[in-house]
Amino acid sequence: FWPGSLTMVLPRRADAELSPAVSAGLPTVALRYPSHPAMRALLASAGLPLAAPSANRSGAVSPTQAAHVAASLGETVDCILDGGSCEAGIESTIVALRPGGRWQVLRPGPITEASIAQILGVAPDVRDRGDAIEAPGQLSSHYSPGKPIRLGVQRAEADEYHIGFGPIAGDENLSPDADLAIAAAKLYAALHRAAASDKPRIAIAPIPDQDIGAASNAWLGRAAADHANGPPPDGTGPFRGC
C-alpha cells in the first residue's frame, strides 16, 4: 500500500533518533510514505523525514483543498503549498502492528480493513486497550463543521443544507451514481460548503456502511458528535495530528 494512504503505528526503537515530541511520549511512532507528487517532491527536497500536524484548526473539518487551509489558518502560516484537491478526500487509514503478528485498524480510511487482512492473513487485533488514544480517529468527536448534523436523512427540513448521495439529490450530491470512492473524495469539501451556507443545520443522506463508505460514516459520526459535545470555544485550539 506504500506509497499511499496508509499510516503504520509501530513500536519505537530505543535508539531511534527522533525528538520525543514526534511520538508525544508514546512507545510507538506513526509513519507514512505519501503518494502525492507534491509531497514526494517536498520530502525529496528536504532530505529528511517530516513530522507535522494536519493543516486545520483542532476539531475543525479537515481540508481537501488549499482554499480550506487558507480559510482555517489564514495568516498564521507563511506558505501554503497547493498540490490540487486531495484524491481520496479522507485521511489515511491508520493500522497498528502489535507484537506477535497481531494488528488493529485505529482509524478507517481509503484502504479498507478487508484489504489489509488479505495481505496480513491474520484476524485483526480486537483486544480491549482501555481508554488509550493512539490516533486521532479514535477520539469520540472530531471534524466539526460548527452546525448540528443529522445523518441518514432521506428528506431534509427547510433549514437544513442537504448533502445527497445516489438517488437523493439534496442541495448537492456526493455521487449520483452511488460511487463510494467518489463520495469520500467529495465529502469534506461538501461539509465546508455546508458550513458556509446560510442554513443553520446540515442533513446527510444515507451512505452504505461498506468499504470506504464505512470510513466516511465514521467521520460523519464524529462530526455529528462534535456539535453535540460543543464546538471549540473560538476555533483556535491546538493543531491536531494527521
Side-chain angles (χ1 to χ4, degrees):
F1 302 114
W2 271 7
S5 298
L6 179 73
T7 298
M8 290 195 293
V9 174
L10 304 169
R12 175 181 169 138
R13 282 179 15 194
D15 61 346
E17 296 181 357
L18 296 174
S19 166
V22 170
S23 52
L26 295 173
T28 55
V29 61
L31 304 175
R32 185 158 79 91
Y33 180 27
S35 59
H36 196 287
M39 183 53 67
R40 297 279 292 277
L42 176 63
L43 289 169
S45 298
L48 76 167
L50 297 181
S54 54
N56 59 282
R57 293 289 180 181
S58 177
V61 178
S62 297
T64 58
Q65 302 169 8
H68 299 158
V69 180
S72 178
L73 302 183
E75 297 180 354
T76 62
V77 293
D78 297 321
C79 175
I80 297 174
L81 181 62
D82 188 354
S85 297
C86 293
E87 181 178 352
I90 57 176
E91 289 92 338
S92 64
T93 301
I94 298 181
V95 59
L97 301 182
R98 312 289 191 197
R102 304 286 287 171
W103 59 279
Q104 179 183 9
V105 171
L106 301 181
R107 180 177 74 184
I111 297 173
T112 66
E113 185 173 294
S115 298
I116 298 172
Q118 288 181 345
I119 300 299
L120 296 183
V122 294
D125 184 352
V126 295
R127 290 175 299 163
D128 181 9
R129 300 184 67 83
D131 296 327
I133 298 295
E134 300 175 87
Q138 293 178 288
L139 297 173
S140 61
S141 63
H142 228 14
Y143 321 110
S144 173
K147 296 180 179 180
I149 295 178
R150 283 202 306 142
L151 305 179
V153 178
Q154 300 277 354
R155 182 175 297 178
E157 302 293 338
D159 65 344
E160 292 178 319
Y161 186 95
H162 198 188
I163 298 175
F165 176 78
I168 302 174
D171 292 294
E172 65 174 284
N173 194 298
L174 296 175
S175 173
D177 296 328
D179 187 307
L180 292 174
I182 292 176
K186 293 182 176 181
L187 176 59
Y188 284 166
L191 285 174
H192 279 280
R193 287 188 289 271
S197 75
D198 59 359
K199 295 184 177 181
R201 299 192 298 152
I202 301 170
I204 300 176
I207 298 175
D209 199 39
Q210 61 191 47
D211 299 326
I212 198 171
S216 297
N217 285 326
W219 306 140
L220 290 172
R222 286 172 172 81
D226 252 328
H227 197 278
N229 294 335
D234 56 6
T236 57
F239 301 127
R240 66 174 179 81
C242 60

